[in-house]
Amino acid sequence: MLEARNLLDSLNHQTGKVALPNGVASLDVPDSFYYLSPEDSEKVLVDVWGNLPGTGSETLGMLLPSDTTPYDDNSWGVTIEYEEDGYVSDENADDLDYNELLEQMKKDAQEASKQRVAEGYEPIELIGWASPPYYDKTSNKLYWAKEIKFGSQELHTLNYNIRVLGRKGVLVLNFIAGMDQKSLIDSNLQTVLNMTEFNQGSRYEDFDPSIDKVAAYGIGALVAGKVIAKTGLIAAALIFLKKFGVLFIIGIGALFRKIFKKK
């Protein structure tokens, strides 16, 4: 108990205007949340929630609700990252068939699950959309949620995602929560969306086609968690653990078998 209290006391809760470490974006954090630096995020993700060392320091920090502590059973948080792959065009955003995309994502998950089981890992199943993808062309913000089942776990995982499009890359915000917390996340979604903005010069509308790189993928690939490039299929998956071995994942890809925790 003393160790937990000392850890909580060591966290620097930041509110108001917060400049993210990458220098291209900022947060406007209300009193109902607080921001933690990458160093403090490391303490929560590793020391409290049981992730591997380095997990938190690889992020741009975290957002946590002010009415709970990371030790509470109903705790949840939002990790922040930045992927500088270039300007992601939203030209085809209105033409995407997200149900068709979901079916392909389910097939990808099934194939990954077969490989996992063959190597002694827990199976994984993409159940469906917990919230279908929505792209706001005015704010250039994309969000969606997936429901995912690991093995025989009765409580499914909520994989809630926000992507904020910028001039040279995308801010990646991911909620760490369970399906039983979906209504809570839904009620806080707009608040989190409103917090995050690119700085002037790094905004989506600041894109200069004469000098800026264009990403090799579009809106659909952000949702699917993969891109098709000249080198073939590029897939990425990142795991966060939150107490008692419950898995919270970001993305679905062929790398599952290499990085998921073995049974």
Side-chain angles (χ1 to χ4, degrees):
M1 185 63 71
L2 179 60
E3 182 180 352
R5 173 49 57 191
N6 288 338
L7 186 146
L8 291 176
D9 289 343
S10 73
L11 300 177
N12 179 23
H13 293 202
Q14 300 180 52
T15 58
K17 198 71 172 179
V18 176
L20 291 177
N22 65 353
V24 302
S26 301
L27 303 174
D28 193 1
V29 186
D31 290 339
S32 56
F33 281 83
Y34 60 90
Y35 166 82
L36 294 181
S37 68
E39 293 74 20
D40 282 347
S41 298
E42 175 84 356
K43 297 175 184 178
V44 172
L45 290 171
V46 176
D47 297 337
V48 183
W49 290 352
N51 287 270
L52 292 175
T55 303
S57 58
E58 293 177 357
T59 71
L60 295 178
M62 290 183 68
L63 289 166
L64 291 149
S66 299
D67 58 355
T68 62
T69 77
Y71 285 99
D72 294 337
D73 289 341
N74 62 339
S75 62
W76 57 278
V78 184
T79 58
I80 308 168
E81 297 170 271
Y82 179 62
E83 297 175 351
E84 192 169 307
D85 293 333
Y87 174 89
V88 178
S89 173
D90 63 359
E91 286 185 0
N92 69 339
D94 294 334
D95 301 326
L96 290 171
D97 185 336
Y98 289 117
N99 289 327
E100 181 179 336
L101 181 62
L102 177 63
E103 292 308 308
Q104 183 58 53
M105 291 165 63
K106 285 184 175 181
K107 291 178 182 178
D108 291 346
Q110 288 173 356
E111 290 305 311
S113 186
K114 290 177 183 177
Q115 294 173 333
R116 285 166 51 80
V117 171
E119 296 183 15
Y121 292 79
E122 256 191 337
I124 182 174
E125 180 182 0
L126 173 57
I127 303 298
W129 299 126
S131 290
Y134 177 79
Y135 178 63
D136 186 337
K137 277 197 169 184
T138 302
S139 64
N140 305 114
K141 295 177 181 179
L142 169 71
Y143 54 91
W144 74 96
K146 300 189 293 282
E147 180 179 354
I148 299 171
K149 179 181 180 180
F150 287 94
S152 59
Q153 290 183 13
E154 293 184 5
L155 177 60
H156 293 176
T157 294
L158 175 65
N159 181 212
Y160 220 128
N161 305 266
I162 294 175
R163 301 292 183 270
V164 185
L165 277 58
R167 177 181 178 178
K168 297 182 179 181
V170 178
L171 278 174
V172 177
L173 283 77
N174 291 288
F175 290 81
I176 304 175
M179 276 302 300
D180 59 339
Q181 293 175 297
K182 183 178 181 298
S183 60
L184 177 62
I185 302 304
D186 285 337
S187 67
N188 284 278
L189 177 64
Q190 196 60 50
T191 301
V192 175
L193 283 167
N194 292 341
M195 285 188 218
T196 312
E197 296 292 345
F198 279 96
N199 299 332
Q200 189 168 359
S202 298
R203 299 170 302 179
Y204 196 72
E205 57 265 33
D206 295 325
F207 172 69
D208 185 343
S210 66
I211 60 174
D212 292 332
K213 173 187 173 182
V214 176
Y217 54 89
I219 298 292
L222 290 177
V223 177
K226 63 184 181 182
V227 299
I228 301 297
K230 292 181 180 178
T231 54
L233 180 64
I234 301 174
L238 175 64
I239 297 175
F240 288 117
L241 301 171
K242 178 181 175 294
K243 296 178 300 184
F244 312 122
V246 179
L247 291 169
F248 295 86
I249 72 164
I250 301 171
I252 291 181
L255 300 182
F256 275 157
R257 66 186 183 278
K258 295 181 181 178
I259 63 175
F260 275 53
K261 187 178 181 182
K262 205 165 186 178
K263 278 185 179 179

